[in-house]
Amino acid sequence: MTMHKITEKLRRKNKDQYRLLGICIFLSMLLVSSFAMMFFSPSIQEALPPGGDTRKLMWLMLVAVAVGCLLFTLYGSSLFFRQKSREFGVMLALGAEKKELSRQLFSELRASVGIYILSGLAAALPVSYLIWLLFRMLVIDTQQMQYRFGIAGVFAGLLFAVALSLCILFLGIRFIRRADIMEILNAGRKTEMIREISPWSKKLGILLIVSGLFLAMAVPQLTVRLFRQGMPAVWNLTWLVCAAGLYLVILSAVGQSRKGKHPETYYSNIISTNLMRFAARQTTRNMCVISLLVFVIVLSAFWGVMYYYSVTEGGSDMPYDYSLHYPAGEAQMGEEEIRELAEEYGVEMTSFEELDSLELVIRYTGRDMDEQRRYFDVEYEKLASFVSASDFARISGSQVTLGSGEYRTVAAEGSPESFWTDYDCLNAIRFSGSEEEMKPRFMGTVECGNLNLVSDPFAFVLADEDYRRFAEGISEEGKEKHILFNVKHVMETYDFADALKQEMTARATATSNHYTLYDAREEELALAEGRDYSYAGEIDLSPDNPRLIQEWKYAPFSKVLLQAEAMEMVAVFVLLSIYVSAISLTAAGMMSYVRSITIAMDNRQLFEDLKKLGADRAYVKQVIRVQLRRIFAYPVAAGCAISGGFSLLLTYFNDMSLQVFEVKMLMAEILLMAAIVGVMYGVYRGAYRTAGRIAGI
């Protein structure tokens, strides 16, 4: 019999090795490539703002997916080479040359790895398309959310394939170099015994996890608010404290065995505990990776939930369902025309208010950051909107008392104060056409979300007599009209809201065609200093512009339109977040399952010896069950706990408060954790049954 035929027989006998490696490669290529195809789709790239935090976060998720799937495949590859060593040992014992065996190994890898890579890449396109269709059916179905293929996704998949191939090649080369017949013969007898783990290691690990989360999430925000100093990028290394704590917790779960207060439990589980200690290093590393994958699952799902709530809850507490504002000199829609349009669409109004506001030059104090990440106060000069106390009382229904020289800041309902600008920021208000200024006194805040939207940093309320003094010298160019009204069943009035938006854009002129953050005073100062103004120029006011609501300074507000328009961009993020969670959950489930089966296969002879020594089926089942429970329970619990602490600190220290919708998000995250536990329990049951069959029970 030739060496080639012997190799073929060995490969057929050990076909499970190739199947496991193939599944890891195929799944990794499928998940990463399909995610990349969706991420680089023109529909998603156009929806994500260039340079925005959402786009940056999606890039972070893409990298996390690639790294997670790479670790998953490397784990499968290490198991493949571990099993392959037995085949190598047989061939070396028969007199085969290591050089010839290495050529044959790489030839087999090239063929099998290449097939699975191409299969995963080919399956990615239909899978991404089907996921997209399912998402459109369940979440949002608009013209802008049509599936469009992006060739960049294919290149991203090919790049991942190259990285995957190089890693497997590296493992193969390392395997060949270490291949030694005596090493292979003793591989099955080798253990990874570790020193006795101190009883305080788990407590220290938990302390390090909590400390690491606090250092990474809370300290940077506290230093900014207390000392006006941002932490350097190197501070991100504090996450290593959390990682060290995770390692200690997992290590204590794997290698700690003490009688403690319940010696009967210790003796009952002594075989299970020591079996895990015999493979402590590999088991600990494996469980830590699973914990990190669970962290990614919960975190990405949390981000998706957060963005969803930010849209569905956004604007819901505004006092008026609709609010419009536009330059007073522009021939826009008035009360009669709006009522006629509402009647045409069968919309019933329940209230209607109009008022004027003044655009006055102000000097106010805000904050900025220098290159050393130091925050400092700086005085800005720009335009802001002012309304009279009587008009504000009329639209808000609450009495506002102000004396001459006093002002109140208009805040959104229940919104915490921004770090960048305090509510008492005003230093001076300038009279039109002169250098004369009024230095007002801050008298607190009033709430009206609709007015808070129309001016940056805030809209302000003046005493009636001061308002009249400022209005005397202002032309129509310095005034704005405001229309606010409520309707019945606002969330059923989308057609009316869309028609109202189209009518306003049709009547808009160059006077109102500006970007959201455009300010005429800032532009004037920039041109006087010879600088370019970032927000100069006109925007696309056509109804087909998907970002009209976000870009137009005078875009009409309506609760139904806000949610419908914003949902298109948020839906993209939700889609990708959910998909990242699915990818990570698949990888975590597969790694846990494979590790469970590996333990059963490695200890098959031990289970046989236990039965020969008189152990019944129930005891052997218990030995397997205790090991598998630790493999599944500890990583899932650690990953959920770390992600829960991360989310809580993130939501609180973002603005030093917890809003109602943030509490809802945290509750939704707990439900997500319960779903993850349910899925992993299902994987555990499947692994337990398979391990039982391998053990012969």
Side-chain angles (χ1 to χ4, degrees):
M1 181 178 288
T2 64
M3 192 68 70
H4 180 69
K5 291 194 175 187
I6 293 175
T7 305
E8 282 188 353
K9 281 182 174 290
L10 287 172
R11 190 164 56 247
R12 283 197 298 270
K13 181 174 179 58
N14 300 317
K15 59 184 178 182
D16 288 343
Q17 303 170 16
Y18 294 89
R19 185 181 296 116
L20 175 61
L21 178 62
I23 289 173
C24 293
I25 294 172
F26 176 78
L27 278 177
S28 296
M29 281 301 304
L30 174 64
L31 296 172
V32 173
S33 300
S34 58
F35 180 80
M37 287 178 183
M38 287 193 293
F39 177 66
F40 289 108
S41 167
S43 297
I44 286 184
Q45 290 298 308
E46 291 171 5
L48 296 176
D53 291 339
T54 305
R55 183 181 291 271
K56 292 176 183 177
L57 192 56
M58 293 320 304
W59 273 106
L60 179 62
M61 284 191 172
L62 179 61
V63 172
V65 167
V67 171
C69 288
L70 191 63
L71 290 173
F72 170 56
T73 307
L74 290 180
Y75 175 67
S77 302
S78 65
L79 292 178
F80 169 80
F81 286 115
R82 182 181 174 187
Q83 298 296 325
K84 192 73 176 175
S85 64
R86 299 174 184 175
E87 183 180 318
F88 239 69
V90 171
M91 301 303 293
L92 289 173
L94 291 174
E97 294 288 335
K98 185 185 288 188
K99 180 187 280 188
E100 179 62 28
L101 290 176
S102 63
R103 276 200 301 268
Q104 196 165 347
L105 173 64
F106 288 121
S107 176
E108 293 174 7
L109 285 176
R110 188 165 53 248
S112 57
V113 170
I115 290 173
Y116 287 115
I117 284 177
L118 292 176
S119 299
L121 192 61
L125 180 59
V127 167
S128 64
Y129 178 69
L130 291 174
I131 291 173
W132 192 287
L133 286 183
L134 180 63
F135 182 77
R136 289 189 64 187
M137 290 171 55
L138 297 178
V139 181
I140 185 169
D141 187 6
T142 64
Q143 186 65 29
Q144 287 78 17
M145 289 298 291
Q146 294 286 344
Y147 181 83
R148 288 187 286 167
F149 176 71
I151 192 66
V154 177
F155 286 119
L158 291 173
L159 183 63
F160 179 74
V162 171
L164 202 63
S165 301
L166 289 176
C167 289
I168 294 175
L169 176 63
F170 170 76
L171 290 178
I173 293 173
R174 190 179 69 168
F175 168 73
I176 293 295
R177 287 180 176 176
R178 292 182 176 181
D180 177 82
I181 189 166
M182 294 306 297
E183 190 78 15
I184 291 169
L185 290 174
N186 291 320
R189 300 182 180 91
K190 277 193 172 183
T191 63
E192 298 175 350
M193 285 292 291
I194 56 175
R195 295 178 181 177
E196 185 68 26
I197 304 298
S198 301
W200 44 260
S201 59
K202 183 186 292 185
K203 296 178 181 178
L204 176 61
I206 294 173
L207 178 62
L208 289 176
I209 290 174
V210 174
S211 302
L213 284 173
F214 184 81
L215 289 171
M217 299 299 300
V219 170
Q221 296 296 330
L222 291 173
T223 55
V224 166
R225 293 181 179 273
L226 296 177
F227 307 110
R228 305 285 181 87
Q229 175 64 58
M231 302 302 292
V234 71
W235 188 258
N236 290 321
L237 293 177
T238 53
W239 280 106
L240 296 178
V241 177
C242 192
L246 172 65
Y247 184 81
L248 280 177
V249 170
I250 298 298
L251 186 63
S252 65
V254 171
Q256 196 175 84
S257 58
R258 287 180 173 273
K259 296 180 183 180
K261 297 180 180 179
H262 304 284
E264 66 280 359
T265 303
Y266 167 77
Y267 287 115
S268 177
N269 297 327
I270 192 169
I271 292 180
S272 300
T273 301
N274 283 283
L275 281 179
M276 294 195 74
R277 296 183 71 214
F278 291 152
R281 294 175 189 169
Q282 189 177 30
T283 302
T284 301
R285 288 195 298 266
N286 180 263
M287 291 168 71
C288 285
V289 172
I290 294 171
S291 296
L292 293 176
L293 285 172
V294 172
F295 174 77
V296 172
I297 296 167
V298 179
L299 181 61
S300 56
F302 174 75
W303 279 111
V305 170
M306 184 186 70
Y307 268 69
Y308 176 77
Y309 269 119
S310 68
V311 171
T312 56
E313 297 288 327
S316 61
D317 56 352
M318 297 290 188
Y320 287 91
D321 299 331
Y322 285 80
S323 58
L324 323 175
H325 76 291
Y326 51 86
E330 191 169 79
Q332 273 290 354
M333 302 183 73
E335 179 177 1
E336 185 177 345
E337 293 164 305
I338 293 174
R339 289 189 180 278
E340 288 177 359
L341 187 65
E343 186 177 349
E344 179 183 341
Y345 283 89
V347 174
E348 182 180 350
M349 292 186 180
T350 58
S351 64
F352 193 97
E353 297 289 347
E354 291 183 89
L355 73 152
D356 295 330
S357 69
L358 305 177
E359 279 199 304
L360 303 175
V361 175
I362 65 169
R363 288 190 293 109
Y364 74 96
T365 301
R367 293 188 180 92
D368 203 349
M369 182 178 68
D370 60 19
E371 294 181 355
Q372 284 73 42
R373 300 181 64 83
R374 290 191 299 264
Y375 293 83
F376 57 93
D377 290 343
V378 59
E379 187 174 70
Y380 297 100
E381 186 172 313
K382 64 182 303 182
L383 293 172
S385 294
F386 289 81
V387 298
S388 67
S390 57
D391 279 341
F392 186 86
R394 175 168 53 85
I395 66 168
S396 66
S398 57
Q399 189 64 33
V400 179
T401 303
L402 287 173
S404 180
E406 298 174 345
Y407 79 97
R408 289 181 182 267
T409 301
V410 180
E413 285 77 1
S415 176
E417 188 173 30
S418 168
F419 168 77
W420 297 99
T421 312
D422 296 331
Y423 286 136
D424 58 343
C425 61
L426 274 188
N427 299 326
I429 309 172
R430 184 174 301 168
F431 285 89
S432 178
S434 72
E435 294 300 317
E436 183 184 356
E437 294 181 338
M438 183 180 82
K439 299 187 183 301
R441 296 186 301 277
F442 178 65
M443 302 302 292
T445 62
V446 288
E447 293 187 346
C448 182
N450 296 88
L451 286 183
N452 179 260
L453 293 171
V454 303
S455 182
D456 181 62
F458 307 106
F460 302 96
V461 181
L462 286 175
D464 288 359
E465 56 186 288
D466 288 334
Y467 183 87
R468 284 192 294 269
R469 287 176 58 207
F470 280 107
E472 287 175 357
I474 290 185
S475 64
E476 288 294 295
E477 293 180 356
K479 297 179 181 179
E480 289 185 343
K481 288 280 188 182
H482 298 262
I483 296 176
L484 309 96
F485 58 92
N486 286 313
V487 299
K488 281 189 175 181
H489 311 299
V490 60
M491 303 313 293
E492 299 174 9
T493 61
Y494 177 81
D495 292 338
F496 165 70
D498 189 56
L500 184 65
K501 180 188 72 173
Q502 293 189 35
E503 186 64 28
M504 286 196 68
T505 55
R507 298 187 182 206
T509 64
T511 306
S512 63
N513 191 351
H514 299 298
Y515 285 95
T516 302
L517 295 179
Y518 172 80
D519 185 271
R521 179 58 179 170
E522 287 183 336
E523 183 179 32
E524 180 184 339
L525 292 173
L527 295 177
E529 296 173 5
R531 295 183 288 107
D532 291 332
Y533 184 58
S534 304
Y535 302 107
E538 297 184 345
I539 67 170
D540 177 17
L541 289 177
S542 67
D544 297 329
N545 181 2
R547 297 191 53 77
L548 181 64
I549 296 296
Q550 290 82 25
E551 292 181 347
W552 189 23
K553 182 180 179 69
Y554 294 97
F557 165 80
S558 73
K559 294 179 180 178
V560 61
L561 200 61
L562 176 68
Q563 291 196 15
E565 295 287 339
M567 193 60 189
E568 290 186 3
M569 186 189 77
V570 173
V572 168
F573 191 87
V574 173
L575 166 63
L576 297 178
S577 297
I578 292 173
Y579 196 57
V580 169
S581 297
I583 291 171
S584 303
L585 185 58
T586 301
M590 285 291 295
M591 287 188 72
S592 302
Y593 182 85
V594 171
R595 184 60 190 163
S596 302
I597 302 309
T598 303
I599 287 176
M601 294 176 65
D602 289 347
N603 296 298
R604 186 183 302 174
Q605 185 59 51
L606 174 67
F607 297 140
E608 291 295 327
D609 293 342
L610 285 174
K611 286 186 281 187
K612 290 177 182 177
L613 290 172
D616 58 8
R617 292 165 58 89
Y619 183 77
V620 177
K621 283 184 177 181
Q622 179 187 337
V623 170
I624 297 173
R625 187 164 54 245
V626 170
Q627 290 191 78
L628 298 195
R629 278 180 179 174
R630 292 190 180 187
I631 290 173
F632 280 88
Y634 275 87
V636 172
C640 288
I642 293 173
S643 55
F646 174 89
S647 302
L648 179 61
L649 293 174
L650 176 69
T651 52
Y652 178 77
F653 284 100
N654 184 46
D655 52 17
M656 296 297 177
S657 65
L658 279 178
Q659 305 299 312
V660 174
F661 85 94
E662 290 174 333
V663 175
K664 290 181 180 179
M665 286 192 309
L666 294 172
M667 296 301 294
E669 186 178 47
I670 293 175
L671 295 178
L672 287 169
M673 292 179 187
I676 292 168
V677 170
V679 172
M680 293 299 287
Y681 179 75
V683 177
Y684 158 75
R685 294 299 302 173
Y688 176 66
R689 286 193 293 269
T690 305
R693 287 196 297 271
I694 293 172
I697 55 172

